[in-house]
Amino acid sequence: YYAAMACRLTIAQIRAVPQRRNADGNFDRLLHLLDVAARHRPDVVITSESFLDGYLAADARTDADDIRAAAIDPDDSVYTDVLGAWAGDHQSWLLFGCTRIVGDRGANTALLFNRDGALAGLYDKTHLQSHDHKYVAGDRLPVFDSDFGTFGVLICADRRWPETVRSLALQGARVILNPTYGMMGDFNTAMMRTRAFESEIFIAFTHPQQSLITGPGGRVLCDKVGDIDAVAVTTIDLAEVDQVRQSPTSHLQDLRPALYAPSAS
């Protein structure tokens, strides 16, 4: 089944504004929305950034100690146990935004559960500005292997740098899962269309109030906005990435890296 359907990917994006300092309440809402998503038999489900704690860092009253107190250990958490079981039961990949314990700090993390329900990987937000310095920064831009091919993850502001998207594309990613909490709207949509176009890739931007997917030709495939809990479901064809990258006008094929390095003076 998965080999035959490898090019078609159904993505369910969770759209809900989590409450700060209400992990249990946010988790209950997520379980309800996962029930809604399950009706569509998704291949991938994505929550927004730091969904579990409601993105505490954006609260001016919150400091790094509060962030650490809200963090979880993915290897010893009832939340991850339940989500792993859900992913396995529904044979779906699941990206869960939370704060993860890293020593005496907390990281802004996306946990990745595979179709078997195993914790298959994680990604820590790498580009920290202003209030995000309450987190410890990630130091890698990895890609992940799956039954539908190579994919990448960026969290919120990471998408603002074209180098992050391009790095994942050059590592073979055909789709980027982008949980976020911050900027949305027309300017962001233009940026997401540009990022997808210039690196010939799908980007699934998943905000508490917007579900946006842009494709390798710069098209918008999904744009659902609202502040009522909902699930946006979109099926994309990853073969579109292969077609664009193999075309005579492919950006990635015609890169000239030697020209882009700063010249020595």
Side-chain angles (χ1 to χ4, degrees), residues 132-167:
D132 274 343
H133 287 294
K134 300 169 188 176
Y135 297 111
V136 60
D139 58 6
R140 298 174 59 243
L141 288 171
V143 292
F144 303 93
D145 295 326
S146 73
D147 53 277
F148 54 85
T150 304
F151 70 94
V153 177
L154 296 174
I155 296 178
C156 200
D158 290 338
R159 74 195 187 283
R160 298 181 191 173
W161 285 263
E163 291 85 357
T164 57
V165 177
R166 178 59 55 83
S167 174

Side-chain angles (χ1 to χ4, degrees), residues 81-140:
D81 289 345
V82 171
L83 293 179
W86 186 92
D89 288 346
H90 295 86
Q91 298 182 22
S92 173
W93 283 80
L94 172 60
L95 182 154
F96 177 54
C98 64
T99 304
R100 179 176 70 93
I101 294 172
V102 180
D104 62 353
R105 299 283 303 279
N108 186 334
T109 300
L111 301 180
L112 293 163
F113 300 89
N114 64 20
R115 295 189 196 266
D116 295 325
L119 183 58
L122 58 83
Y123 171 79
D124 295 330
K125 189 173 186 177
T126 52
H127 291 67
L128 307 184
Q129 296 180 315
S130 61
H131 53 257
D132 274 343
H133 287 294
K134 300 169 188 176
Y135 297 111
V136 60
D139 58 6
R140 298 174 59 243

Side-chain angles (χ1 to χ4, degrees), residues 154 158-170 173-178 187-205 212-222 236-238 240-245 247 249-253 255:
L154 296 174
D158 290 338
R159 74 195 187 283
R160 298 181 191 173
W161 285 263
E163 291 85 357
T164 57
V165 177
R166 178 59 55 83
S167 174
L168 297 178
L170 290 175
R174 293 189 293 175
V175 59
I176 293 173
L177 314 182
N178 181 212
F187 181 83
N188 178 73
T189 297
M191 179 169 62
M192 291 296 88
R193 294 182 67 184
T194 301
R195 292 287 172 270
F197 173 74
E198 66 195 5
S199 288
E200 300 165 343
I201 198 164
F202 286 100
I203 303 176
F205 171 88
L212 174 70
I213 297 181
T214 53
R219 293 188 301 121
V220 173
L221 292 93
C222 172
I236 63 175
D237 187 354
L238 294 174
E240 186 178 332
V241 171
D242 302 329
Q243 292 165 1
V244 171
R245 292 180 180 179
S247 75
T249 56
S250 165
H251 303 145
L252 297 190
Q253 269 198 38
L255 286 173

